[in-house]
Amino acid sequence: MAPVTVAIIFGGRSAEHEISIISAKSIAANINTDRYRVIPIYITHDGEWLLDGIARDILNFDLATLLRSSSLDAAGKTLRRMTKESGQHPFDRNFTATGIDVAFLVLHGSYGEDGRIQGFLDTCAIPYTGCGVLASAVTMDKALTKLCVADAGIAVAPGITLLSSDYLADPDSFHTRIDREFEYPLFIKPANLGSSVGISKVHNPAELPLALKTACTLDTKILVEKAIKGREIEVAVLGNAQPEVSVCGEIEPGSDFYDYEDKYIHNSAKTFIPARIPSVLQEKVRELALRAFKALGCRGMSRIDFFVDEESKSIILNEVNTIPGFTDISMYPKLMEASGIPFPELATRLLELAMNGSTPCNPGSEKRS
């Protein structure tokens, strides 16, 4: 039997471009090459699609070491120089001519995790890993996610949503409102970014303007949320019609909170699998994760994050990640491995789920009267 051709699509136009590359490198190393033929497709910072060639060079590049020894800007300049010097022409996105059977999506953040690439691949009749258009779009927006899971009876952090344009037009009125409605500390979050990009923990009113301006440069919608006391608990969900939930894992941040640098630069956070909470709370978290996964219409995979307070027994949903990290420190593959599914098997399961259910309504499959 001829191997199935898998396009690993990575990079992209979001602020999580570099993390996408590191995740894709890990995935490529764990795909069964006896069963699958891998073709890397790299999307540059500017949105150009590059097939194989330089895409493979970037996939094999040790970007993780560069990030830890340098800056994010320096890493970005290195990648741009590599693509420019390659002289490679953009991929025309003719998946059929290339012989691509399925796409493994590793595009974190905007333009990859938000339903846009999913809709394009649905139009091209190419199955892909992870959630479909609607679930991807809703979960990418933290404000909409909160509304949907709250409707399903899942607790979320108290907060407000504001538009960047409204804030920039009259910042003082928002400062006054936030000071009146919230106690410090609080969190400022861009609504549509992951990997903790642009998130600030604000300890006093003096820190508020810079945090809001920073978030406004990254997104058109901003969340202001009460800081929740509790352990940071994460679970991985895998499956389509009958999803399974991993054991609970716990993140102990190495800094004030689990931010981008703590995740990918300093690697100072500690992880505990299973989480250090009572078994009864672990089971409740797993039940709520499954409820959120179904309420949001997810399929394939998601990592769902909570705050758990042992004293009050409260469980607060933090966020849902439909294309979670797959780096060597990422929780999703670690949680699945702790649940009996090692990385190579996980990669195979995700591809099988994609080919069996990624496009629920395939073009041309409808019965016509």
Side-chain angles (χ1 to χ4, degrees), residues 144-190:
L144 291 179
T145 299
K146 290 176 68 172
L147 289 174
C148 290
V149 298
D151 184 66
I154 301 170
V156 297
I160 59 172
T161 302
L162 57 92
L163 298 179
S164 299
S165 56
D166 291 343
Y167 170 75
L168 295 173
D170 187 11
D172 288 342
S173 67
F174 284 98
H175 297 161
T176 300
R177 178 186 175 186
I178 292 167
D179 285 340
R180 182 177 65 248
E181 296 184 16
F182 290 87
E183 295 181 355
Y184 291 89
L186 54 82
F187 278 97
I188 305 296
K189 302 179 179 181

Side-chain angles (χ1 to χ4, degrees), residues 6-152:
V6 179
I8 298 182
I9 305 179
F10 66 102
R13 295 169 59 190
S14 83
E16 299 172 75
H17 182 103
E18 285 72 19
I19 304 310
S20 167
I21 296 172
I22 300 171
S23 288
K25 183 181 180 76
S26 295
I27 289 167
N30 284 281
I31 287 181
N32 182 351
T33 53
D34 292 331
R35 183 173 175 181
Y36 299 102
R37 181 172 73 99
V38 174
I39 296 179
I41 297 177
Y42 172 57
I43 302 178
T44 70
H45 289 88
D46 299 321
E48 284 192 330
W49 292 49
L50 301 174
L51 178 73
D52 219 354
I54 184 62
R56 197 171 294 276
D57 292 342
I58 288 175
L59 196 63
N60 294 328
F61 182 64
D62 190 3
L63 184 61
T65 298
L66 178 61
L67 274 176
R68 291 187 180 114
S69 63
S70 187
S71 66
L72 189 61
D73 286 343
K77 289 177 181 177
T78 298
L79 294 170
R80 287 185 171 92
R81 185 177 67 251
M82 290 174 67
T83 55
K84 183 178 180 180
E85 291 176 352
S86 75
Q88 187 172 330
H89 295 296
F91 172 46
D92 63 4
R93 287 159 230 168
N94 188 336
F95 295 98
T96 302
T98 313
I100 293 169
D101 298 305
V102 60
F104 203 126
L105 294 181
V106 203
L107 295 164
H108 304 313
S110 303
Y111 303 99
E113 203 169 351
D114 57 9
R116 285 184 256 204
I117 185 69
Q118 289 81 4
F120 171 66
L121 291 173
D122 279 343
T123 303
C124 297
I126 299 296
Y128 51 87
T129 55
C131 295
V133 175
L134 183 58
S136 298
V138 170
T139 55
M140 189 66 202
D141 188 315
K142 296 180 178 66
L144 291 179
T145 299
K146 290 176 68 172
L147 289 174
C148 290
V149 298
D151 184 66

Side-chain angles (χ1 to χ4, degrees), residues 191-353:
N192 293 281
L193 290 178
S195 293
S196 300
V197 174
I199 295 180
S200 300
K201 187 174 184 179
V202 179
H203 301 85
N204 55 65
E207 296 177 357
L208 185 61
L210 178 59
L212 286 166
K213 288 178 182 177
T214 298
C216 285
T217 63
L218 296 169
D219 202 350
T220 59
K221 187 190 291 186
I222 308 302
L223 269 68
V224 182
E225 287 186 345
K226 175 184 177 181
I228 301 298
K229 175 188 174 184
R231 296 183 184 274
E232 298 190 27
I233 307 298
E234 302 183 352
V235 291
V237 184
L238 175 71
N240 290 342
Q242 296 180 314
E244 53 192 284
V245 185
S246 74
V247 300
C248 295
E250 179 182 349
I251 301 288
E252 184 179 282
S255 56
D256 198 18
F257 71 100
Y258 196 35
D259 61 8
Y260 183 94
E261 290 198 353
D262 197 13
K263 289 179 179 179
Y264 301 114
I265 307 299
H266 303 310
N267 192 19
S268 54
K270 296 179 181 178
T271 59
F272 301 90
I273 302 175
R276 300 171 299 176
I277 57 175
S279 58
V280 64
L281 281 178
Q282 292 195 41
E283 287 307 306
K284 183 62 176 177
V285 167
R286 296 175 74 245
E287 185 272 321
L288 290 174
L290 187 59
R291 190 192 305 180
F293 188 85
K294 292 180 176 180
L296 292 162
C298 297
R299 67 167 185 254
M301 63 176 163
S302 289
R303 195 197 74 236
I304 305 181
D305 304 345
F306 296 88
F307 293 110
V308 177
D309 187 334
E310 291 180 75
E311 293 182 12
S312 65
K313 304 294 190 296
S314 66
I315 301 173
I316 307 294
L317 186 137
N318 182 23
E319 63 179 12
V320 177
N321 296 270
T322 55
I323 304 183
F326 279 89
T327 71
D328 59 357
I329 63 168
S330 295
M331 285 292 275
Y332 188 88
K334 284 185 174 183
L335 289 167
M336 294 312 304
E337 183 164 13
S339 303
I341 304 176
F343 206 150
E345 182 183 341
L346 175 61
T348 296
R349 291 274 296 273
L350 287 168
L351 288 167
E352 289 174 342
L353 288 166

